[in-house]
Amino acid sequence: MQPGPHLDNPVDTLLEKIEIDGTAELGGKLHQFAADLYPTCRSITGNGIRQTLRAIQQRIPLQIFEVPTGTAVFDWTVPKEWNISDAYIRAADGRRVVDFRSHNLHVMSYSSPIHAVLPLETIRPHLHTIPEYPDWIPYRTSYYQENWGFCLTYNQILSLEDGDYEVCIDSTLEDGHLTYGECYLPGRSSEEVLISCHTCHPSLANDNLSGVSVAAFLAEHLAGQDLRYSYRFLFIPGTIGAITWLAQNREKAAQIRHGLVLTCIGDSGGFHYKKSRRGNAEIDRAVACVLKDCGERFEILDFSPYGYDERQYCSPGFNLAVGCLMRSVWGTFPEYHTSADNLEFIQPLSLAKSLRACAAIVNLLEKNRRYLNQNPCCEPQLGKRNLYKSTGGEPVGQQIHARLWTLNMSDGEHSLLDIAERSGLPFETIAGAAEALCQSGLLLPLP
Amino acid sequence: MQPGPHLDNPVDTLLEKIEIDGTAELGGKLHQFAADLYPTCRSITGNGIRQTLRAIQQRIPLQIFEVPTGTAVFDWTVPKEWNISDAYIRAADGRRVVDFRSHNLHVMSYSSPIHAVLPLETIRPHLHTIPEYPDWIPYRTSYYQENWGFCLTYNQILSLEDGDYEVCIDSTLEDGHLTYGECYLPGRSSEEVLISCHTCHPSLANDNLSGVSVAAFLAEHLAGQDLRYSYRFLFIPGTIGAITWLAQNREKAAQIRHGLVLTCIGDSGGFHYKKSRRGNAEIDRAVACVLKDCGERFEILDFSPYGYDERQYCSPGFNLAVGCLMRSVWGTFPEYHTSADNLEFIQPLSLAKSLRACAAIVNLLEKNRRYLNQNPCCEPQLGKRNLYKSTGGEPVGQQIHARLWTLNMSDGEHSLLDIAERSGLPFETIAGAAEALCQSGLLLPLP
Amino acid sequence: MQPGPHLDNPVDTLLEKIEIDGTAELGGKLHQFAADLYPTCRSITGNGIRQTLRAIQQRIPLQIFEVPTGTAVFDWTVPKEWNISDAYIRAADGRRVVDFRSHNLHVMSYSSPIHAVLPLETIRPHLHTIPEYPDWIPYRTSYYQENWGFCLTYNQILSLEDGDYEVCIDSTLEDGHLTYGECYLPGRSSEEVLISCHTCHPSLANDNLSGVSVAAFLAEHLAGQDLRYSYRFLFIPGTIGAITWLAQNREKAAQIRHGLVLTCIGDSGGFHYKKSRRGNAEIDRAVACVLKDCGERFEILDFSPYGYDERQYCSPGFNLAVGCLMRSVWGTFPEYHTSADNLEFIQPLSLAKSLRACAAIVNLLEKNRRYLNQNPCCEPQLGKRNLYKSTGGEPVGQQIHARLWTLNMSDGEHSLLDIAERSGLPFETIAGAAEALCQSGLLLPLP
């Protein structure tokens, strides 16, 4: 048997490394990375996202791109760049009753500048609260319609007395750039796996520092490895970022074979995977196969054209095999888009297990191929090759069953993922069987 | 964008008209039409069906056809024409103990003439009752075997004393014609939608004056409209009528793209739709999609080769996409084929809602087509076209979701019905989204 | 209509014969045949299997094949022939504490010869028991690794006192032959139905004298009949026998269209059918269709590459349409591979009903074909052919429904099995309808 070219090593290394680190230690690192990025006031353009990308660049080889305001990207136009240095509402007594410096959610993202003294009644339509959660600050944006606004707790608004207030938003909304980061890890094939996460939200932890942190650590682990696929990690502003990237990288997009959008992946909920538009792409089956054996609750959701950047990747002109991996689904938990989506809302252990699931998915994609049984007529005599008894700690039955399944189904038409699905056995067990059978010369990988 | 040629108007008009009339008012009209036809003694041939067709002709442009006795129609032969003027059983005291003039069900349909005085024991084998429902008269026929018979209530038969009775059936069974009516409404395409109802039963309301009434009103509403499909309404005797029409109209039958048999559609039960032999024809999916959102109970039944005239339309030599829309399924309710299937058994409201469902099915067929997203790469910016907020009374979410679904799936391969099915949204909402997107130039109808 | 060539007769004869015999009488015969074979000490080679095949030869035309030790068969080699004349463990007092003459399970199959006096501690690793069932003797083999061993009840081992014992296994393990039997019944077509059962187990009744008995009686019933398919019955040692046959009969294997492995088919449990690797082969559907109407509990199991000789027939180089029919599934009942799998564990009635199910499966395969409705446009007039009323004891509805279904679906694309599946009616009812319709000239069998 000719061995497959560096078949399993790189990603096994990753999974093993995760095991060696221990999920607790790894989780701590993932959470710390999110914590470091948490205070930054990000938006879809501006210095907040630039600063965030530079922090990610400390861990991984990230190329940062700047796309000028006004650039046409399909049906859209790259907007003006927004920056902010201060914002407040000051009472007559000089006290800042709402203060951007205490929480960057206090300003509606993309607020145009204002500095005026106004009576409360005039200000009120610009104030946003969540009466149901009177201590939480909502997150609001107005990207494509010039406006200004403040977000505050419901209790704050209750304490405001009538009268005049000094309203100040020291922001700029000017021609500039849209900034995004790209980490490309070349593999043996030019076919790509895309990992995309939106990096445009201010101090919100699950949405989406969780995705940013998991993606950055995954890239860090894969960097420098001998990989089958090439990997492209995108750290981009939501919607306009994905549209901009797709508009300017149509040839690269055509190389994408599998992809994941990572979002809301650090909370304590079970996994949710939203399938690609294709619905039965290899990535869809790979994620389902990994989650089935991950030891956590999970649910597979059908594609819908509403959500995060899978909307763009799965638009009919691209129809890429890109799904969205989450824990709790955006919009379904009350903390979503509020100040309660904070560093306590995301859990180190959840982050580590999310990274582990991503690594297992990558592992599956790297290893999934078709083999050809070299002894297709009747079973080969496994006993004389010492393959009819278990070799490791696994229960005898499962390991031998995996070998029999892999031999039986390796007719050149079925991949290891097909075999894992039909047998109900974990992919790793099937992949291990394939490796053992290759070593015995009973199986050969197909090109 | 070039607008689709008169895309939605005609049938919207129908649905709107039904709304304007109000279901109560419309139901009253439908019921009155059935009531007018109720007393007539119909059979598969003869003056009863002629008189019925002339009444329908008052409402719609109906062409009446006469096919001579003895005409070969596939494996069958058009039978003799049957007419009846009187029938009775008279007791020795001169009293009519069974009298055709009081209910035309009292005579077995196609009874041969007889006039004789016979002892009760000789008459008895010719008497039909329903002991379980002692006040109901059964409906019996003997089309293809010459015989005579009376149907009476079980209580009537109990009251008969032994002795001689004068038995008289003043009927004729002679060479004549089979009569049926056809209303053809030409549309822009020569492809046809068939609506077929059997018109051969005597004083039975649900089976099938309900179908006759709904079909006649549907034809009346569609007449003169600018329609995509051509529509053919058949008012025919059951079995032999459908066979005769198919035998004499094979070229027309080849134009039928979708079809419905309407029967037992006026009672207070929920809808039942029996699928065509094909099982997944557009009509099958259209009816299921409409019933899902009709607000009434419904059940979809698999095709079987037993039932009404779908048996003929779905015979393997034709295999037309014709299903059968019912409320209660024939044969499953005790009133079926008895005098209890009377004008009280059918409900104005049920008739109106049945007509409404038929109109919605026609509406779906008329509007169902494929569109092409003119902006297939990434989402178009709906906001700048004022399409990202709801425009009417519908909940915001559903309308915008419908637009996103319609854009996403309009890749030239999926029809609006495909999109409604995959999204789970009502067809009308999807059709509305398609219309709005066409107006914005984002979508173009495919030819 | 030209009649189909001897369409239904032979197998109907079988089913009728089973009815005439009565299941009780037939069951008695099946059980007696198993009982006659029970005492023989069989293994995968040797005189036990030879003697068994000669007994089968008394009932059916069985050809016995001898394949020399050392013959290469795919990845395997025909092993040495094993024979045994005596074996015991004798205590110091001269008493045989374990005695092959009292139960042939007492010796591990393929034990190499030994004659020595050894202390109990040295013997102990060669003793096998079942502590959970202290009165049962386990069944153990060591075909491909030279070794010796005794199997005894747990109570026996408890009674053994320390000390020296005379250990004797008077066996030979020498170059010889692998022996198997083949009964070939030629039919009108060279396409074959395979019935395979392993015939290598010593005194174990359900596994697999039940299969041997049912297969032999089935062959006896089919012998000399005018059959559509040719039938090949294999009585072979498990695994190595199937591999040997396949290796030496590749051309014959290519003729196999349908096949069944029969095993564990005599106990009182419901049926289990394990589908072929193809999963939707005609045999898979035929068995499911027959079991649905057999009046017993049953379960359909997916294929897996572990089990009995279907493992070999369904290896990817052959991928034959061979499933495995069982009652209780091997390995799932405690008596499996113990002395408790004895003649009381198998039931005459179960054996008879298993034979009946096999006959019904053969019947279905023989009769299953496609017909062409000679009157495909609309229904033919069944009444004038006296086919619209029931002709036998069956309920009217079912028989007429079967005729309508058979007419409707006989478009040249659907087999009687397709029609039975879609209609939900028993295959025999559909086949009866096809026969009646052929007699009326309404249906013609397709070649």
Side-chain angles (χ1 to χ4, degrees):
Chain A
M1 182 204 104
Q2 293 183 303
H6 314 285
L7 217 58
D8 310 323
N9 299 350
V11 194
D12 281 341
T13 308
L14 168 56
L15 280 174
E16 274 161 31
K17 191 161 168 21
I18 290 175
E19 295 303 341
I20 291 163
D21 277 13
T23 43
E25 189 185 333
L26 184 63
K29 290 178 186 170
L30 284 155
H31 194 273
Q32 183 58 51
F33 189 65
D36 293 345
L37 299 175
Y38 183 72
T40 306
C41 179
R42 276 166 294 271
S43 186
I44 55 171
T45 61
N47 292 323
I49 191 165
R50 264 187 209 101
Q51 184 180 332
T52 301
L53 295 173
R54 279 195 296 267
I56 298 170
Q57 225 173 15
Q58 302 300 310
R59 305 196 77 89
I60 58 172
L62 192 76
Q63 194 174 357
I64 297 175
F65 293 83
E66 300 276 355
V67 183
T69 297
T71 304
V73 286
F74 294 127
D75 192 49
W76 303 63
T77 306
V78 172
K80 289 181 180 167
E81 180 174 329
W82 184 70
N83 283 293
I84 184 165
S85 52
D86 196 6
Y88 55 83
I89 301 175
R90 196 196 305 269
D93 60 4
R95 200 172 29 90
R96 288 185 169 201
V97 296
V98 180
D99 187 357
F100 172 71
R101 293 176 313 192
S102 74
H103 206 302
N104 57 42
L105 288 183
H106 275 316
V107 176
M108 182 168 74
S109 197
Y110 259 64
S111 277
S112 45
I114 185 171
H115 196 174
V117 175
L118 298 168
L120 184 57
E121 305 87 77
T122 309
I123 301 171
R124 227 179 250 284
H126 295 268
L127 302 183
H128 305 278
T129 66
I130 317 170
E132 298 86 347
Y133 296 95
D135 291 324
W136 296 359
I137 312 163
Y139 167 55
R140 291 286 181 279
T141 68
S142 188
Y143 300 139
Y144 299 103
Q145 193 169 6
E146 279 204 23
N147 200 352
W148 62 269
F150 286 88
C151 302
L152 55 166
T153 71
Y154 189 62
N155 284 335
Q156 271 180 304
I157 213 172
L158 289 181
S159 70
L160 294 187
E161 295 179 0
D162 281 345
D164 286 351
Y165 288 85
E166 179 191 351
V167 171
C168 172
I169 298 180
D170 186 4
S171 66
T172 57
L173 195 54
E174 296 169 346
D175 283 356
H177 294 84
L178 176 150
T179 314
Y180 70 84
E182 193 173 332
C183 168
Y184 178 70
L185 305 176
R188 296 190 302 278
S189 161
S190 62
E191 296 188 332
E192 294 191 12
V193 177
L194 172 73
I195 308 290
S196 176
C197 57
H198 63 276
T199 317
C200 53
H201 283 30
S203 299
L204 295 168
N206 202 34
D207 176 28
N208 188 27
L209 292 174
S210 68
V212 170
S213 184
V214 168
F217 276 64
L218 184 63
E220 185 180 11
H221 279 286
L222 292 177
Q225 305 273 15
D226 179 16
L227 296 160
R228 171 185 178 184
Y229 288 108
S230 297
Y231 286 77
R232 190 176 301 276
F233 290 78
L234 294 183
F235 299 86
I236 50 176
T239 305
I240 187 66
I243 293 169
T244 298
W245 188 85
L246 285 165
Q248 303 202 322
N249 296 279
R250 298 186 71 160
E251 285 186 17
K252 287 176 186 167
Q255 291 293 314
I256 294 171
R257 290 295 164 272
H258 320 285
L260 283 180
V261 168
L262 299 182
T263 185
C264 297
I265 199 157
D267 65 273
S268 58
F271 284 111
H272 289 83
Y273 174 70
K274 175 179 151 184
K275 291 194 281 190
S276 77
R277 181 181 186 270
R278 300 183 185 184
N280 200 25
E282 187 174 340
I283 185 67
D284 300 323
R285 298 167 52 209
V287 175
C289 187
V290 162
L291 293 184
K292 180 175 69 68
D293 295 310
C294 77
E296 294 195 62
R297 282 174 297 120
F298 75 99
E299 197 176 341
I300 306 293
L301 310 172
D302 281 332
F303 174 76
S304 81
Y306 194 64
Y308 276 102
D309 286 332
E310 69 278 7
R311 292 163 73 157
Q312 313 309 331
Y313 302 125
C314 295
S315 58
F318 290 102
N319 194 25
L320 297 176
V322 176
C324 179
L325 187 62
M326 303 161 269
R327 285 185 172 274
S328 294
V329 177
W330 54 267
T332 64
F333 49 95
E335 295 86 353
Y336 179 73
H337 277 192
T338 77
S339 56
D341 179 3
N342 57 26
L343 291 169
E344 285 163 30
F345 187 63
I346 59 173
Q347 305 290 326
L349 198 62
S350 296
L351 288 163
K353 288 183 173 175
S354 293
L355 175 58
R356 205 192 184 296
C358 290
I361 294 163
V362 165
N363 198 30
L364 192 160
L365 294 173
E366 288 279 312
K367 288 185 184 174
N368 187 34
R369 58 177 63 210
R370 291 174 296 132
Y371 291 82
L372 200 59
N373 182 340
Q374 302 299 298
N375 216 83
C377 289
C378 299
E379 288 175 18
Q381 195 175 353
L382 295 180
K384 71 183 183 192
R385 295 174 179 87
N386 206 25
L387 288 172
Y388 211 63
K389 297 287 169 217
S390 175
T391 53
E394 256 185 300
V396 177
Q398 197 174 66
Q399 207 175 50
I400 290 172
H401 277 112
R403 289 172 195 150
L404 292 172
W405 271 111
T406 305
L407 284 167
N408 188 277
M409 300 302 293
S410 287
D411 53 6
E413 290 182 20
H414 298 92
S415 69
L416 296 189
L417 177 54
D418 292 327
I419 302 172
E421 287 178 341
R422 181 153 180 193
S423 68
L425 296 170
F427 180 85
E428 278 304 306
T429 308
I430 295 294
E435 198 182 338
L437 293 166
C438 280
Q439 282 166 7
S440 296
L442 290 171
L443 222 57
L444 265 188
L446 284 172
Chain B
M1 183 205 103
Q2 293 183 302
H6 314 285
L7 216 58
D8 309 321
N9 298 351
V11 194
D12 280 342
T13 308
L14 168 55
L15 280 174
E16 273 161 32
K17 191 161 168 21
I18 291 176
E19 296 303 341
I20 291 163
D21 278 13
T23 43
E25 189 185 333
L26 184 63
K29 291 177 186 169
L30 284 155
H31 194 273
Q32 183 58 51
F33 189 64
D36 292 345
L37 299 174
Y38 183 73
T40 306
C41 179
R42 276 167 294 271
S43 187
I44 54 172
T45 61
N47 293 322
I49 191 164
R50 264 187 210 100
Q51 183 181 334
T52 302
L53 295 173
R54 280 195 294 268
I56 298 169
Q57 227 173 13
Q58 302 301 311
R59 305 196 77 88
I60 58 173
L62 193 75
Q63 194 174 357
I64 297 175
F65 293 83
E66 300 275 354
V67 183
T69 296
T71 305
V73 286
F74 294 127
D75 192 49
W76 303 62
T77 306
V78 172
K80 289 182 181 167
E81 180 174 330
W82 184 70
N83 285 292
I84 184 164
S85 52
D86 196 6
Y88 55 84
I89 301 175
R90 196 195 306 267
D93 60 4
R95 198 173 31 89
R96 287 186 170 202
V97 295
V98 179
D99 187 357
F100 172 71
R101 295 176 310 192
S102 74
H103 205 302
N104 57 41
L105 287 183
H106 275 315
V107 176
M108 182 168 74
S109 196
Y110 258 66
S111 278
S112 44
I114 185 172
H115 197 173
V117 176
L118 297 169
L120 183 57
E121 304 87 78
T122 309
I123 302 172
R124 226 178 252 284
H126 295 268
L127 302 182
H128 305 277
T129 64
I130 317 170
E132 298 85 346
Y133 295 95
D135 291 324
W136 296 358
I137 311 164
Y139 167 55
R140 291 285 181 279
T141 68
S142 189
Y143 300 138
Y144 300 102
Q145 193 168 5
E146 280 204 22
N147 200 353
W148 62 269
F150 285 88
C151 302
L152 54 166
T153 71
Y154 188 63
N155 285 336
Q156 272 180 303
I157 213 172
L158 288 181
S159 71
L160 295 187
E161 295 179 3
D162 281 345
D164 285 351
Y165 289 85
E166 179 191 350
V167 171
C168 172
I169 299 181
D170 186 4
S171 66
T172 57
L173 195 55
E174 297 168 347
D175 283 355
H177 294 84
L178 176 149
T179 315
Y180 69 85
E182 193 172 332
C183 168
Y184 179 70
L185 306 176
R188 296 190 301 278
S189 161
S190 61
E191 297 188 331
E192 294 190 12
V193 177
L194 172 73
I195 307 290
S196 176
C197 56
H198 62 277
T199 318
C200 53
H201 283 30
S203 299
L204 295 168
N206 202 33
D207 177 29
N208 189 27
L209 292 174
S210 67
V212 170
S213 184
V214 168
F217 276 63
L218 184 63
E220 185 180 11
H221 279 286
L222 292 177
Q225 304 274 15
D226 178 17
L227 296 161
R228 171 184 178 183
Y229 288 107
S230 298
Y231 287 76
R232 189 175 302 275
F233 290 78
L234 294 183
F235 298 86
I236 51 177
T239 304
I240 187 65
I243 293 169
T244 298
W245 189 86
L246 284 165
Q248 303 202 322
N249 295 278
R250 298 186 71 159
E251 284 186 19
K252 288 177 186 167
Q255 291 293 315
I256 294 171
R257 290 295 164 271
H258 321 284
L260 283 180
V261 169
L262 299 182
T263 184
C264 297
I265 200 157
D267 65 274
S268 59
F271 284 112
H272 290 83
Y273 175 70
K274 174 178 151 184
K275 292 194 282 190
S276 77
R277 181 180 186 270
R278 300 182 185 184
N280 200 25
E282 187 174 338
I283 186 67
D284 300 322
R285 297 168 52 209
V287 176
C289 187
V290 162
L291 293 184
K292 179 175 70 68
D293 295 310
C294 77
E296 295 194 61
R297 283 175 296 119
F298 75 99
E299 198 176 342
I300 306 293
L301 309 172
D302 281 332
F303 173 76
S304 80
Y306 194 64
Y308 276 103
D309 286 333
E310 69 278 7
R311 291 164 75 157
Q312 313 309 331
Y313 301 124
C314 295
S315 60
F318 290 101
N319 195 25
L320 297 176
V322 176
C324 179
L325 187 62
M326 303 160 269
R327 286 185 172 273
S328 294
V329 177
W330 54 267
T332 65
F333 50 95
E335 294 86 354
Y336 179 72
H337 277 192
T338 77
S339 57
D341 179 3
N342 58 25
L343 290 169
E344 286 162 31
F345 187 62
I346 59 172
Q347 306 290 324
L349 198 61
S350 297
L351 289 163
K353 288 184 173 175
S354 294
L355 175 58
R356 204 192 185 294
C358 290
I361 293 163
V362 165
N363 199 29
L364 192 159
L365 294 172
E366 288 279 310
K367 287 186 183 173
N368 188 32
R369 59 177 62 212
R370 290 173 297 132
Y371 292 81
L372 200 59
N373 182 339
Q374 301 299 299
N375 216 84
C377 290
C378 298
E379 288 175 17
Q381 196 176 353
L382 295 180
K384 71 183 183 192
R385 296 175 176 87
N386 206 24
L387 288 171
Y388 211 63
K389 297 288 169 217
S390 175
T391 53
E394 256 186 299
V396 178
Q398 198 174 66
Q399 207 175 51
I400 290 173
H401 277 112
R403 288 171 195 152
L404 292 173
W405 270 111
T406 304
L407 284 168
N408 188 278
M409 300 301 293
S410 287
D411 52 8
E413 291 183 19
H414 298 93
S415 70
L416 295 189
L417 178 54
D418 292 327
I419 301 172
E421 287 179 340
R422 181 153 179 192
S423 69
L425 296 171
F427 180 84
E428 278 304 306
T429 308
I430 295 293
E435 199 182 339
L437 293 166
C438 279
Q439 282 167 6
S440 297
L442 289 171
L443 222 57
L444 265 188
L446 283 172
Chain C
M1 180 206 104
Q2 293 183 301
H6 314 285
L7 217 57
D8 310 320
N9 299 349
V11 195
D12 281 341
T13 308
L14 168 55
L15 280 174
E16 274 162 32
K17 190 159 168 26
I18 291 176
E19 297 303 340
I20 292 163
D21 278 12
T23 43
E25 188 185 334
L26 184 64
K29 291 178 187 169
L30 284 155
H31 194 273
Q32 183 59 50
F33 189 64
D36 293 343
L37 299 175
Y38 182 74
T40 307
C41 180
R42 276 165 296 271
S43 187
I44 54 171
T45 61
N47 292 323
I49 191 165
R50 265 187 208 101
Q51 184 182 332
T52 302
L53 295 173
R54 279 195 295 266
I56 298 170
Q57 227 173 14
Q58 302 301 309
R59 306 195 76 88
I60 58 174
L62 192 75
Q63 193 173 357
I64 297 176
F65 293 84
E66 300 276 354
V67 183
T69 296
T71 304
V73 285
F74 294 127
D75 191 49
W76 302 63
T77 306
V78 171
K80 289 181 180 169
E81 180 174 329
W82 184 69
N83 284 293
I84 184 165
S85 52
D86 196 5
Y88 54 85
I89 301 175
R90 196 195 303 270
D93 61 5
R95 199 171 32 89
R96 286 186 170 202
V97 295
V98 180
D99 187 357
F100 172 71
R101 294 176 312 193
S102 73
H103 206 302
N104 58 41
L105 287 183
H106 275 315
V107 175
M108 181 167 75
S109 196
Y110 259 64
S111 277
S112 45
I114 186 171
H115 197 176
V117 175
L118 297 169
L120 184 56
E121 303 87 77
T122 308
I123 301 171
R124 226 178 252 284
H126 295 267
L127 302 182
H128 305 279
T129 65
I130 317 170
E132 298 86 346
Y133 295 95
D135 290 325
W136 295 0
I137 311 163
Y139 167 55
R140 291 287 182 278
T141 68
S142 188
Y143 300 137
Y144 299 103
Q145 192 168 6
E146 281 206 18
N147 199 353
W148 61 270
F150 285 89
C151 301
L152 55 165
T153 71
Y154 188 63
N155 285 335
Q156 271 179 304
I157 213 172
L158 289 181
S159 71
L160 294 187
E161 294 178 2
D162 282 345
D164 286 352
Y165 288 86
E166 179 192 350
V167 171
C168 173
I169 298 181
D170 186 5
S171 67
T172 57
L173 195 55
E174 296 169 347
D175 282 356
H177 294 84
L178 176 150
T179 314
Y180 71 85
E182 193 172 333
C183 167
Y184 179 71
L185 305 176
R188 296 190 301 276
S189 161
S190 62
E191 296 188 332
E192 295 191 10
V193 177
L194 172 73
I195 307 291
S196 177
C197 56
H198 63 277
T199 318
C200 54
H201 282 31
S203 300
L204 295 168
N206 203 34
D207 177 28
N208 189 25
L209 292 174
S210 67
V212 170
S213 184
V214 169
F217 276 64
L218 184 63
E220 186 180 9
H221 280 286
L222 292 177
Q225 304 274 14
D226 178 17
L227 296 160
R228 171 185 179 183
Y229 288 108
S230 298
Y231 286 77
R232 191 176 300 276
F233 289 79
L234 294 183
F235 298 86
I236 50 176
T239 304
I240 187 66
I243 293 169
T244 297
W245 188 85
L246 285 166
Q248 302 202 324
N249 296 280
R250 298 187 71 160
E251 285 186 18
K252 288 177 186 168
Q255 291 294 314
I256 294 171
R257 290 296 164 271
H258 321 285
L260 282 180
V261 169
L262 299 182
T263 185
C264 298
I265 200 158
D267 66 273
S268 58
F271 284 111
H272 289 83
Y273 175 69
K274 175 178 151 185
K275 292 194 281 191
S276 76
R277 181 180 186 270
R278 299 182 186 185
N280 200 25
E282 188 174 338
I283 185 68
D284 300 322
R285 297 167 52 209
V287 176
C289 188
V290 163
L291 294 184
K292 179 175 71 66
D293 295 310
C294 76
E296 295 195 62
R297 283 175 296 120
F298 74 99
E299 196 176 343
I300 306 293
L301 309 172
D302 281 331
F303 173 76
S304 81
Y306 194 63
Y308 277 102
D309 286 332
E310 70 277 9
R311 290 163 75 158
Q312 313 310 330
Y313 302 124
C314 295
S315 59
F318 290 102
N319 194 25
L320 297 176
V322 176
C324 179
L325 186 63
M326 304 161 268
R327 284 184 173 275
S328 294
V329 178
W330 53 267
T332 65
F333 49 95
E335 295 85 355
Y336 179 72
H337 278 192
T338 77
S339 56
D341 179 2
N342 57 27
L343 291 169
E344 286 163 29
F345 187 63
I346 59 173
Q347 306 289 325
L349 198 62
S350 297
L351 288 163
K353 289 184 174 176
S354 294
L355 176 57
R356 204 190 186 297
C358 289
I361 294 163
V362 165
N363 198 29
L364 192 159
L365 295 173
E366 288 280 310
K367 288 185 184 173
N368 187 33
R369 58 176 63 211
R370 290 174 296 131
Y371 291 81
L372 200 59
N373 181 339
Q374 301 300 298
N375 217 83
C377 289
C378 298
E379 288 175 17
Q381 195 176 353
L382 295 180
K384 70 183 183 191
R385 295 176 177 86
N386 206 24
L387 289 171
Y388 211 64
K389 297 288 169 217
S390 175
T391 53
E394 254 184 302
V396 178
Q398 197 173 67
Q399 207 175 53
I400 290 172
H401 277 112
R403 288 171 196 151
L404 292 172
W405 271 110
T406 304
L407 284 168
N408 188 278
M409 299 302 293
S410 287
D411 52 8
E413 291 183 19
H414 298 94
S415 69
L416 295 190
L417 178 54
D418 292 327
I419 301 172
E421 287 178 340
R422 182 154 180 192
S423 69
L425 296 171
F427 180 85
E428 278 305 307
T429 308
I430 295 294
E435 199 181 338
L437 293 166
C438 280
Q439 283 167 8
S440 296
L442 290 171
L443 221 57
L444 264 188
L446 284 173

